[in-house]
Amino acid sequence: MEIAIKLALKGAGKVSPNPMVGAVIVKNGVIIGKGYHKAYGQNHAEVNAFESCVTDPAGADMYVTLEPCCHFGKTPPCTGRIIREKIKRVFIGSGDPSPHAAGKGIVQLKNAGIEVVTGVCEKECTILNAAFLKFATKKTPLIVIKAAVSADGCMAADSGDSKWITNEKSRKYSHRLRSFYDAVLVGKNTVINDDPELTVRHVKGRNPVRIVLDSRLEIPSSEKVFDGTSETIVISSNSADNKTAETFLKDRGITVLKVDMKDGFLDLKTAFMLLGERKITSVMAEGGGTIHSYLLNNRIADRLNLFTAPVLIGSGKRFFSGSDFSSVDSSIWLDIIDIKHFGDDIFTDAFLRYRD
């Protein structure tokens, strides 16, 4: 299953809104076939594993990171192929909660006389497809906060200077993360102050959809996010009355989604529902601190990707502030997924655990 997980990760940034899936076929203790879901609309992992087999898979075991599909979509159901190939046992990492699946694939395999073992490396397989699993059940994207901070939690100095807190290795990995997620989100001030491209440049990978929060449609048309390099969505307020800017954006092929204001801020819960309708399953919020704080204080963010550099800034611009926690115990806790070192920088990947 560990091999299947590594295979599945090869599909990162290519298969959404489908899940990342890897499959390994073992016969008499020897791997005879391996495969993964390579791109949306193409063969699923199980089929690619069968196509790679070096010998007859009849009587073999299959290890697959997600419950095999049992419905017709862009491709035929994988359960049918598993049954026809006379697989003896299927080991499954995590279940598929989608309405068309939800255990139906497992039942179909069992009814065909195939032994099914579930929950193999379940935690790892669930982390692998965190975005897909949330989207399948709630129809909204996984929201990931990404920030590069000093050791005392600052994104920038009081002057606004933030280049560069983290090192080149960290910045390269942050671009790799961009290629994994469906979309990257920033606020108006980040666009105006930094004029970011929000594309993948330091590694190979797809550009994410660029999402910009601009409640009054005030961002100058010359900014790079409007250059047509990749799809851009502007989220604005229903009360915004700037027809000139709106016409410019739409003429450039840029989508404008409008939501109400709530407590002086764009209603992002509604905005993320609208993004879900567009099949966006994951959003990486890159800043700034006001957006991060809103997402955390309103319990909207699901995950944190935090780069921490060995520097103290002091009274700079913090990536998270304004909470009203009455105690440490009632604060937001991190369920650590992974910790990496990039030179002297520390990268923390964690799910966010909110307490009442």
Side-chain angles (χ1 to χ4, degrees), residues 47-319:
V47 172
N48 286 330
F50 282 124
E51 296 297 324
S52 75
C53 279
V54 296
T55 188
D56 184 1
D61 296 335
M62 171 174 277
Y63 294 80
V64 60
T65 55
L66 188 76
E67 174 187 351
C69 67
C70 61
H71 68 287
F72 282 89
K74 290 186 177 294
T75 59
C78 292
T79 51
R81 181 70 182 265
I82 293 170
I83 293 168
R84 289 196 305 274
E85 296 285 0
K86 299 179 180 180
I87 290 294
K88 182 179 179 181
R89 295 185 297 180
V90 177
F91 296 86
I92 297 173
S94 65
D96 182 348
S98 305
H100 53 251
K104 298 184 183 74
I106 293 171
V107 170
Q108 198 173 101
L109 294 174
K110 288 182 175 179
N111 288 342
I114 297 174
E115 181 183 346
V116 178
V117 180
T118 60
V120 181
C121 297
E122 184 173 20
K123 179 180 179 182
E124 292 84 353
C125 291
T126 299
I127 291 171
L128 171 71
N129 278 313
F132 169 78
L133 295 174
K134 181 185 178 183
F135 185 77
T137 54
K138 298 185 178 180
K139 301 303 178 186
T140 58
L142 185 81
I143 308 303
V144 184
I145 288 178
K146 175 260 174 179
V149 302
S150 62
D152 52 352
C154 295
M155 297 180 65
D158 286 327
S159 64
D161 178 55
S162 63
K163 293 186 178 181
W164 293 101
I165 290 177
T166 53
N167 62 36
E168 186 176 349
K169 290 181 179 179
S170 292
R171 297 195 295 276
K172 182 176 180 180
Y173 191 71
S174 72
H175 277 242
R176 180 171 172 81
L177 291 175
R178 275 186 189 171
S179 72
F180 284 173
Y181 297 120
D182 288 349
V184 57
L185 179 149
V186 296
K188 177 187 70 176
N189 290 338
T190 296
V191 173
I192 293 174
N193 294 334
D194 299 340
D195 193 17
E197 295 180 51
L198 302 180
T199 56
V200 174
R201 300 183 301 282
H202 299 305
V203 297
K204 291 183 178 180
R206 64 162 184 177
N207 288 327
V209 175
R210 301 181 289 196
I211 300 172
V212 179
L213 306 184
D214 184 6
S215 61
R216 298 179 182 176
L217 297 177
E218 295 175 324
I219 297 176
S221 60
S222 59
E223 301 292 348
K224 293 175 183 175
V225 291
F226 301 141
D227 63 7
T229 302
S230 62
E231 182 182 355
T232 301
I233 297 173
V234 175
I235 298 176
S236 186
S237 166
N238 280 319
S239 61
D241 187 19
N242 190 337
K243 299 299 181 183
T244 301
E246 193 165 346
T247 299
F248 165 80
L249 294 173
K250 291 182 177 179
D251 287 347
R252 295 287 293 269
I254 294 166
T255 301
V256 178
L257 299 179
K258 291 193 172 183
V259 298
D260 291 334
M261 298 294 289
K262 191 173 183 180
D263 298 325
F265 207 87
L266 289 166
D267 181 1
L268 292 188
K269 285 188 177 180
T270 298
F272 291 143
M273 290 177 63
L274 295 176
L275 294 177
E277 292 174 2
R278 303 176 73 87
K279 304 294 185 183
I280 291 176
T281 67
S282 58
V283 175
M284 183 168 73
E286 290 201 8
T290 301
I291 294 173
H292 293 160
S293 298
Y294 177 89
L295 294 173
L296 290 167
N297 287 322
N298 287 279
R299 303 185 174 204
I300 297 174
D302 302 295
R303 191 167 178 170
L304 177 68
N305 286 171
L306 187 68
F307 294 87
T308 305
V311 60
L312 298 176
I313 293 179
S315 61
K317 300 181 183 297
R318 308 192 70 80
F319 95 97

